[in-house]
Amino acid sequence: MYSSADRAASAQAWQLYRDGRRAEAAAVVRSRLTQRVDDGRDLQLQGLLWHDEGRTRAARAALESAMFLSPLEPDAWLALAEIYERSGRRDEAQTALAALVERSDLSEALMPRVAALSGRLGDARVALELCRRALLRDPDCDEALFGAACYMRRLAFPNETIAGLLRRAVRLDPHCCLYRRTLANLLMSMNQSAEAYAHYRHVPLDQVCCAGCLRTMHEVFDRAGDATRRDAVADRLALITQQTNEQE
């Protein structure tokens, strides 16, 4: 039987974890598991902590064991699905993901991660629906806007609609290099090089490692007559190409 003190201690550990105080949560859960190894909530929290630390094998074992002891929390289901996906166990990842998608208590914070996993598993429609659900709860969630734009592009939505979502994401987080690069690349495909230039000029070159993106940036700066940025991109592209050749 679980006492009220047990439940309070478990709830405290989970709250510490969700507040980002992982070291404190880990200390509480370790202490509790030395006293009682069959507590499902403590075990799944231990699995989550190990997952965050990159200890994939230990995390999977803890989460799989916890499944038989108590219902998994949404973040624990997501961690398990991500572990399966990274391990190449796609069928199991999809099964775990299906259980997660149906949860009514899926938080706004988790939805973009769940959508990203759905997209990696090849279900862009489910991923887009999750982004839509996240945006209904928080219209200013830049991650959900960016995710929705990516999945809409995969599903061949009109480019102007996708660009509108990306512009909103950039406004919400103007320092995100990925958002600006993605929008600028799309604008180039729409022959809107002037607006693409306006975004590319704010992209720090040291954050760009994609040769294809660099070539597009070089073209945009060249068209705009911005020789300084064009030449800087050329230098960066030469460095990336050299590094790639050395690794091969």
Side-chain angles (χ1 to χ4, degrees):
M1 294 291 292
Y2 292 102
S3 67
S4 58
D6 283 329
R7 287 191 290 272
S10 180
Q12 178 199 24
W14 276 92
Q15 191 59 52
L16 287 168
Y17 175 78
R18 288 177 173 146
D19 288 345
R21 297 162 63 182
R22 286 174 169 76
E24 295 170 71
V28 173
V29 82
R30 275 198 306 269
S31 173
R32 287 180 50 74
L33 285 171
T34 59
Q35 302 168 36
R36 184 164 189 162
V37 297
D38 62 345
D39 187 303
R41 281 182 59 76
D42 288 339
L43 194 56
Q44 65 179 291
L45 181 52
Q46 180 66 84
L48 272 173
L49 288 160
W50 280 335
H51 174 259
D52 292 348
E53 294 170 6
R55 298 174 60 183
T56 301
R57 189 171 299 176
R60 190 185 78 195
L63 292 168
E64 288 177 338
S65 297
M67 289 173 63
F68 297 101
L69 299 170
S70 67
L72 290 188
E73 293 290 318
D75 34 9
W77 266 122
L78 177 56
L80 188 57
E82 288 175 338
I83 289 168
Y84 286 149
E85 187 259 341
R86 284 198 298 269
S87 304
R89 298 164 64 174
R90 293 178 63 86
D91 290 345
E92 289 156 291
Q94 287 170 332
T95 298
L97 187 63
L100 185 60
V101 167
E102 298 302 318
R103 296 282 293 252
S104 60
D105 57 346
L106 191 60
S107 70
E108 296 162 26
L110 289 182
M111 278 187 184
R113 278 178 59 197
V114 178
L117 179 58
S118 298
R120 292 198 301 272
L121 290 171
D123 200 334
R125 292 191 181 280
V126 169
L128 178 57
E129 173 60 21
L130 285 164
C131 291
R132 188 190 69 83
R133 282 168 56 185
L135 289 167
L136 285 174
R137 295 188 191 181
D138 179 8
D140 290 333
C141 177
D142 56 280
E143 287 182 88
L145 283 165
F146 178 74
C150 291
Y151 303 126
M152 288 169 71
R153 193 168 191 187
R154 214 182 282 185
L155 293 166
F157 277 69
N159 282 341
E160 193 52 58
T161 302
I162 298 166
L165 293 179
L166 290 171
R167 289 185 185 104
R168 285 178 58 198
V170 168
R171 283 197 296 271
L172 288 165
D173 187 356
H175 302 296
C176 180
C177 172
L178 178 61
Y179 296 173
R180 283 195 184 273
R181 282 195 291 113
T182 305
L183 174 56
N185 286 341
L186 177 63
L187 291 168
M188 282 299 291
S189 73
M190 299 165 63
N191 295 315
Q192 296 184 25
S193 58
E195 188 182 351
Y197 170 74
H199 289 288
Y200 273 138
R201 64 196 296 270
H202 291 291
V203 173
L205 280 183
D206 60 358
Q207 295 185 28
V208 185
C209 297
C210 169
C213 291
L214 288 166
R215 282 190 283 269
T216 303
M217 292 176 74
H218 187 276
E219 178 186 351
V220 170
F221 291 142
D222 190 49
R223 285 190 193 182
D226 189 336
T228 301
R229 287 191 172 88
R230 180 200 63 201
D231 293 346
V233 168
D235 291 342
R236 176 69 174 169
L237 181 57
L239 176 63
I240 295 295
T241 302
Q242 179 184 349
Q243 290 173 342
T244 301
N245 291 337
E246 289 173 353
Q247 292 169 2
E248 291 178 351

